[in-house]
Amino acid sequence: MADLFESARIDELCALIKKYQDSYYNGEAEIEDAEFDKLWDELKALDPENPILKKVGADSGNFEKASHVMPMGSQEKAADPEQFLAWAAKHSYDEYLVEYKLDGASLELQYQKGRLVRAVTRGDGSVGDDITANAKKMKGVLSLLEKSPDFTGGVRGEVIMTHSVHKKYFSDKANCRNAANGLMKRKDGEKSEYLCLITYDALSTDGPNPFKDEEEKIAWLVKNGFESVPLKICKSAQEVIDYRASVMEIRPGLEYDIDGLVVKERTINLDDASRARPDRQIAFKFSLEEAVSVVRDVEWSENGATYTPVAIFDPVQLAGTTVQRASLANPDTLRKLGVQIGSHVVVVKRGEIIPKIVGLVPHADDAKNCKPIAFPKKCSACGSDLLDTPSRLYCPNKNCSKRVLHQIFKWIECSDIRDLGDALVNALFSDKKLRSISDIYSLDEATLTPYFLNQESIEKEKDSLGAKNVVASIRSKTNLSLAQFVAGFDIEGIGESMVEKVIEGGFDSLEKMLAASASDFEKVYGFAQITAAAFAQGLAENADEMRSLVAAKTITIKEAKGGALAGKSFCFTGELKTMKRADAEALVKEKGGSAKSSVTKDLTYLVTNDKESGSGKNAKAAKFGIAIINEEEFLKLVK
């Protein structure tokens, strides 16, 4: 089934890519570059050798055709710093030469003995449209190379429309690129004078090149009167990433559109350039999910015992939404990033619910304009000195009222006591009738009735249905899995899935967990040193109450082994027909299996009622060869 889905998805992607390439090269682009790149990357992941990945678009049939004199293939792409670093790891250069990646339409100018004889569009990468008459009207197109009268070969550039021209004359067009594409291919050549050419490449076809490397090539173009792209020479991959961040910041103020950077080596590599998709250079693109802003303040979000820094910055657009807050994760992240009030920062939202800051954009005047972030020193609830560890700023007082209340809410969530609502819990806590997890199981109708009935109703000896329901709900949730039980104690960073990893690591009873050390937990898959230490500390702090609940038989821990789904893991996506997703996940755990929120290589089943969906989870499951089943098949497995 996975093979059939994958084949169908590949066909669908090929059709979409061809359609959008045609619209891009022959008129109005139908989707943004970032959306097109997602389709391209998905096809590349599913079928790396697909022929469509080796092609570029083709022009219309309105002009005579002409062959290129220099290669005009596509480029490899990196959508984010992680992808760029992966490429750079395989391409370690002493220097990285970095240029703007112009967002326009490619054009090759062909010269013979210094005179322009032809201007050819990109076409299919080998043959394009001859639009010489239109090109001669464009700014930046030179009919004669006065300083290089012997040059025979090609000069490559990008036809662009400036923002000011677009705003004044062509605001009816969606963007500058679409407007430029349409004008340069008009048969009558009308309004081509509103376009301009910015160059970045050249090649001699008669004799040696008049330049010896990529830097000299740009200098040669400028010397001959062409407008060219800025060139930045970086000594490391990280310097390229930092430069990209600085360009992202100034990008809105540029007079023309750019959609990334082109990164290459200093040496002119003709063999690589002749490939359909050169390997030794890459387009390091900007993303709709990245932006640069300025930090104006930092607030500290209080969640239980933990204080998390949240940056407030000038509003930016990320993936179609306006964003002005982003988590800084923890004190260690904040310090490593070096973020201060006034810092220029890179904000990302790659599928994250809460955006985050991933880097700084260095500024020469930061020293005088930026000021350090003030850390809170005291707990707002109990007044205890906060403990500042590398990964966490928190109140160490186990009896802190705010911390205890958060733990009670966590227990109610993990044990699924649905009738014990937030308002009732807050009221009971305020009246000191609920001050620990154990207190939940001491609640009775007499204690709860005043929270549902007024004094007059109580005096008339009226029973409270609400109080009865809460007590019944509490008593129905005394048989918990080991993962539910431990996760309910609200240990920092430890949810049910993390406890399940500990169980799978051999600590399959409460006593085994309580007897283990931090170094023991470090051996568990998914646990690093900090998480292991936090887990061991949390177990030690709560050991007495854990043992007390079990010894008194207030809570019964279910046998971890056995069950119809033992050893199997499930991820649910899309809408279920017969139950809520939370109920389906609870059923999996009840039967000895595990429920996951994402598709990983070790997943057993992806459950969806739309097996042919093009969703990311479906595609990932197909890629990993994971069985995709529907709800009916899932229920058969359960039974």
Side-chain angles (χ1 to χ4, degrees):
M1 180 61 71
D3 289 342
L4 287 174
F5 166 78
E6 186 171 301
S7 178
R9 181 58 178 164
I10 288 171
D11 290 343
E12 181 183 12
L13 289 168
C14 288
L16 288 172
I17 288 171
K18 186 176 185 307
K19 172 189 174 185
Y20 293 136
Q21 275 185 330
D22 289 344
S23 68
Y24 175 85
Y25 287 105
N26 299 308
E28 300 278 331
E30 297 180 44
I31 61 173
E32 295 286 344
D33 280 4
E35 296 301 316
F36 179 84
D37 288 344
K38 287 180 181 179
L39 297 175
W40 186 280
D41 291 341
E42 184 181 350
L43 178 60
K44 187 176 180 180
L46 291 173
D47 187 12
E49 301 303 318
N50 193 289
I52 202 168
L53 297 174
K54 313 297 182 184
K55 298 178 181 178
V56 294
D59 294 315
S60 64
N62 295 331
F63 294 87
E64 293 292 327
K65 299 297 178 183
S67 297
H68 300 148
V69 299
M70 59 189 303
M72 293 184 76
S74 298
Q75 290 174 310
E76 285 294 336
K77 296 188 297 294
D80 53 50
E82 291 78 14
Q83 290 182 14
F84 172 71
L85 286 173
W87 176 85
K90 301 175 183 177
H91 302 79
S92 182
Y93 304 150
D94 292 334
E95 297 175 316
Y96 295 91
L97 276 67
V98 188
E99 305 167 355
Y100 288 174
K101 183 179 181 300
L102 300 160
D103 190 15
S106 293
L107 187 68
E108 179 187 76
L109 304 181
Q110 298 178 3
Y111 289 89
Q112 288 184 2
K113 297 298 182 183
R115 293 185 178 278
L116 177 66
V117 294
R118 198 173 291 110
V120 185
T121 62
R122 184 180 190 183
D124 65 2
S126 299
V127 175
D129 288 343
D130 182 345
I131 62 165
T132 307
N134 291 358
K136 286 182 175 180
K137 299 179 182 179
M138 300 175 188
K139 296 179 179 66
V141 174
L142 306 179
S143 296
L144 184 65
L145 302 183
E146 295 180 356
K147 294 188 177 181
S148 298
D150 295 327
F151 178 77
T152 295
V155 170
R156 184 176 177 182
E158 203 86 352
V159 177
I160 61 102
M161 176 179 286
T162 63
H163 293 158
S164 55
V165 167
H166 179 262
K167 182 178 180 180
K168 186 173 182 179
Y169 299 107
F170 303 98
S171 58
D172 58 316
K173 298 294 183 182
N175 52 52
C176 294
R177 184 187 64 197
N178 283 359
N181 259 322
L183 289 185
M184 67 184 280
K185 295 175 184 175
R186 285 185 60 146
K187 194 69 175 176
D188 60 9
E190 188 178 346
K191 299 182 180 178
S192 289
E193 62 272 16
Y194 288 111
L195 304 177
C196 61
L197 182 75
I198 300 178
T199 62
Y200 51 85
D201 203 0
L203 175 70
S204 172
T205 57
D206 184 14
N209 281 318
F211 36 79
K212 64 181 181 183
D213 60 28
E214 292 288 350
E215 184 179 14
E216 287 192 5
K217 181 191 292 181
I218 298 297
W220 180 85
L221 289 168
V222 172
K223 182 188 76 172
N224 277 279
F226 290 106
E227 184 174 355
S228 192
V229 291
L231 177 67
K232 171 75 172 178
I233 300 175
C234 298
K235 299 297 185 181
S236 67
Q238 185 57 50
E239 191 177 340
V240 176
I241 293 171
D242 293 342
Y243 177 60
R244 174 176 177 266
S246 66
V247 174
M248 284 169 58
E249 184 180 9
I250 66 170
R251 179 187 178 196
L254 296 178
E255 181 60 0
Y256 50 82
D257 290 330
I258 61 174
D259 59 358
L261 303 173
V262 176
V263 185
K264 59 181 70 172
E265 61 186 324
R266 175 177 287 276
T267 303
I268 296 173
N269 193 317
L270 296 179
D271 288 339
D272 186 61
S274 65
R275 299 172 57 179
R277 204 166 184 82
D279 172 66
R280 298 189 64 81
Q281 60 178 267
I282 194 167
F284 191 2
K285 302 201 74 175
F286 302 137
S287 168
L288 294 175
E289 299 171 335
E290 293 178 286
V292 174
S293 189
V294 179
V295 175
R296 300 302 179 187
D297 196 6
V298 168
E299 296 178 354
W300 291 86
S301 173
E302 301 178 29
N303 186 19
T306 303
Y307 289 67
T308 302
V310 178
I312 314 300
F313 45 80
D314 294 337
V316 291
Q317 287 291 314
L318 286 178
T321 61
T322 301
V323 175
Q324 60 184 120
R325 299 168 61 88
S327 172
L328 284 164
N330 56 54
D332 193 36
T333 299
L334 189 157
R335 283 186 278 259
K336 284 181 178 177
L337 288 171
V339 175
Q340 295 185 305
I341 306 300
S343 292
H344 291 69
V345 293
V346 179
V347 189
V348 303
K349 191 184 178 185
R350 296 181 190 128
E352 300 281 345
I353 296 174
I354 302 175
K356 64 180 179 180
I357 289 171
V358 297
L360 294 183
V361 183
H363 276 250
D365 56 355
D366 279 355
K368 63 179 180 180
N369 292 338
C370 295
K371 61 181 182 179
I373 294 168
F375 280 49
K377 302 296 184 183
K378 300 282 186 180
C379 175
S380 62
C382 70
S384 298
D385 290 338
L386 296 180
L387 191 58
D388 184 359
T389 66
S391 63
R392 187 181 173 209
L393 181 67
Y394 69 101
C395 174
N397 178 14
K398 184 183 183 303
N399 298 314
C400 172
S401 60
K402 183 177 61 173
R403 185 172 173 182
V404 172
L405 180 60
H406 194 272
Q407 185 183 57
I408 290 170
F409 279 123
K410 181 70 172 183
W411 179 269
I412 292 168
E413 176 191 343
C414 288
S415 58
D416 196 26
I417 304 174
R418 300 187 182 184
D419 288 287
L420 191 53
D422 291 1
L424 178 58
V425 170
N426 282 317
L428 289 165
F429 189 82
S430 178
D431 293 341
K432 295 183 169 39
K433 293 180 179 178
L434 182 58
R435 305 297 288 185
S436 69
I437 291 171
S438 298
D439 286 347
I440 294 173
Y441 298 93
S442 299
L443 295 173
D444 54 24
E445 289 183 37
T447 304
L448 292 169
T449 296
Y451 294 90
F452 291 91
L453 299 179
N454 58 30
Q455 189 60 36
E456 182 181 351
S457 297
I458 293 172
E459 289 173 356
K460 290 180 180 180
E461 299 183 354
K462 285 187 177 180
D463 291 333
S464 168
L465 180 60
K468 288 179 182 291
N469 287 340
V470 171
V471 172
S473 182
I474 292 171
R475 291 176 179 170
S476 70
K477 300 295 183 180
T478 58
N479 187 20
L480 306 178
S481 70
L482 180 57
Q484 284 177 292
F485 180 83
V486 175
F489 279 85
D490 196 25
I491 299 171
E492 177 70 19
I494 305 296
E496 283 188 56
S497 62
M498 293 296 282
V499 182
E500 285 168 357
K501 290 179 180 180
V502 174
I503 295 169
E504 291 168 4
F507 304 94
D508 53 3
S509 72
L510 178 59
E511 286 306 321
K512 286 183 181 179
M513 287 190 195
L514 293 176
S517 65
S519 59
D520 293 327
F521 293 131
E522 284 182 39
K523 299 171 185 175
V524 174
Y525 174 76
F527 275 67
Q529 183 179 4
I530 292 174
T531 306
F535 187 46
Q537 179 185 339
L539 288 172
E541 287 180 348
N542 293 284
D544 289 345
E545 188 170 17
M546 287 179 169
R547 288 191 172 108
S548 174
L549 285 168
V550 174
K553 297 187 178 178
T554 303
I555 299 295
T556 303
I557 296 178
K558 299 175 188 176
E559 180 66 32
K561 298 176 182 178
L565 304 181
K568 297 180 174 64
S569 56
F570 296 77
C571 177
F572 297 86
T573 184
E575 187 176 352
L576 299 177
K577 298 175 183 176
T578 63
M579 64 182 75
K580 294 180 179 178
R581 186 180 298 183
D583 293 331
E585 291 174 345
L587 185 57
V588 166
K589 295 173 184 178
E590 181 184 324
K591 298 292 182 179
S594 60
K596 297 181 180 292
S597 60
S598 60
V599 176
T600 56
K601 289 183 179 180
D602 59 346
L603 184 70
T604 311
Y605 296 104
L606 176 66
V607 184
T608 175
N609 284 322
D610 186 4
K611 292 185 181 182
E612 305 306 317
S613 164
S615 72
K617 285 183 178 178
N618 279 37
K620 205 168 183 181
K623 177 183 177 182
F624 291 148
I626 294 165
I628 302 176
I629 62 175
N630 60 27
E631 186 175 350
E632 183 181 351
E633 291 167 318
F634 163 69
L635 293 174
K636 286 180 181 178
L637 282 174
V638 172
K639 295 175 182 178

